[in-house]
Amino acid sequence: MGSVQRAMRLLESVAEHEHGAPAKQLARETGLALPTAYHLLRTLVHEGYLRRDKGLFFLGEAAERLSSSGAEQKRRSTVVEALAHWRDLIGVPVYYAQYRNGEIEILCVSDSPGNPAVEEWADFRETGHAHAIGQCLLAQLDDEARRDHLDRYPVQSITPYTVRDGHSLLRRLERTARMEPVTERQEYALGTVCAAIPITLGNAAATMAISLPAHQADRLLAATQQLQEEIGRLMGTLAISISI
């Protein structure tokens, strides 16, 4: 344990020196005997946590990967906390999704026993035409990307309320006003209504969405408007975090 603590102190000391630092300076800053510092520094270089160049020590690739991973986890935690807050505030399951590399990806879902998320009974990626999340993401794509997606995942009726064919879906998407919420009622799952709010994320298509039991459909509009307002309040904080 003592060796680990001393090694961590050395890593922290090196991280404070953008242009590198020699072993003697690092030993002095960490209060370590020079032979001990040399031994730990060599071990950290061997393991890739540090690198040595012209007698100076810098953070290595392994340490940078840890830093990058930690930053990513922090961004994800920000999104998870926001969705949990909105779930409790509005009393609905909340979803976050993006369109990445030609696929619909649901990246985070926050629900509760009293307000469970929609069960993925048919692959969300293949049925984007049927649910609000997919329709919202497809509406944000250009015409070529939208048609490419539907060529790979053709429209098919999965409930009696699902849009019947690709032409009907394209007409619907073309009529969708930019940055306006998209709603669907029992098109993906019987007994469920959903709404998805488009999110501006550079050139990427993203959305926050909610779902409700069909017998609570009268709450959908108000809940969607409330989520829109909440997203607007936190958008500055989430601008980087939602790129998870």
Side-chain angles (χ1 to χ4, degrees):
M1 181 62 73
S3 295
V4 173
Q5 291 173 333
R6 289 190 287 271
M8 293 300 295
R9 279 156 50 194
L10 283 169
L11 282 172
E12 291 171 354
S13 184
V14 172
E16 294 175 357
H17 297 281
E18 181 181 354
H19 303 292
K24 288 184 179 179
Q25 180 179 357
L26 295 170
R28 183 171 61 253
E29 290 177 355
T30 55
L32 298 176
L34 187 56
T36 301
Y38 268 126
H39 171 71
L40 290 172
L41 289 167
R42 283 196 298 269
T43 300
L44 290 168
V45 169
H46 177 74
E47 297 296 332
Y49 291 99
L50 295 178
R51 61 181 177 87
R52 188 177 183 181
D53 184 21
K54 298 178 181 178
L56 301 178
F57 291 90
F58 302 81
L59 290 179
E61 291 184 3
E64 290 171 353
R65 284 196 300 271
L66 283 176
S67 176
S68 174
S69 177
E72 182 176 344
Q73 289 179 7
K74 184 175 181 180
R75 290 196 301 271
R76 183 175 181 82
S77 176
T78 300
V79 175
V80 170
E81 290 173 3
L83 264 63
H85 171 69
W86 295 332
R87 175 202 66 204
D88 295 340
L89 179 68
I90 306 173
V92 294
V94 186
Y95 312 74
Y96 171 60
Q98 284 187 28
Y99 194 82
R100 301 198 301 192
N101 301 317
E103 301 291 350
I104 293 168
E105 296 188 18
I106 298 183
L107 301 175
C108 190
V109 179
S110 186
D111 64 353
S112 65
N115 295 294
V118 177
E119 181 181 354
E120 186 180 2
W121 73 273
D123 193 320
F124 282 138
R125 293 173 301 175
E126 299 179 6
T127 56
H129 62 281
H131 49 73
I133 287 174
Q135 292 175 24
C136 185
L137 293 174
L138 291 173
Q140 295 176 62
L141 303 181
D142 60 34
D143 186 64
E144 181 180 356
R146 191 181 299 156
R147 289 180 182 276
D148 171 73
H149 182 91
L150 294 177
D151 284 342
R152 289 182 289 116
Y153 301 117
V155 171
Q156 55 181 316
S157 295
I158 58 176
T159 80
Y161 304 95
T162 309
V163 64
R164 291 296 182 227
D165 55 68
H167 293 298
S168 299
L169 176 67
L170 288 172
R171 286 197 298 270
R172 179 194 295 185
L173 296 177
E174 288 166 0
R175 292 195 301 267
T176 301
R178 180 174 173 78
M179 305 315 292
E180 285 298 311
V182 173
T183 61
E184 62 90 356
R185 297 169 186 270
Q186 304 191 81
E187 293 181 46
Y188 174 79
L190 293 176
T192 302
V193 297
C194 303
I197 298 166
I199 302 294
T200 300
L201 188 62
N203 295 323
T207 181
M208 298 281 185
I210 61 173
S211 63
L212 281 165
H215 68 270
Q216 296 182 28
D218 59 335
R219 291 186 54 208
L220 188 63
L221 178 59
T224 304
Q225 291 175 337
Q226 188 175 4
L227 180 60
Q228 269 188 302
E229 293 171 359
E230 291 298 321
I231 292 172
R233 291 193 187 97
L234 285 182
M235 201 60 215
T237 304
L238 290 175
I240 296 176
S241 299
I242 61 176
S243 62
I244 59 173

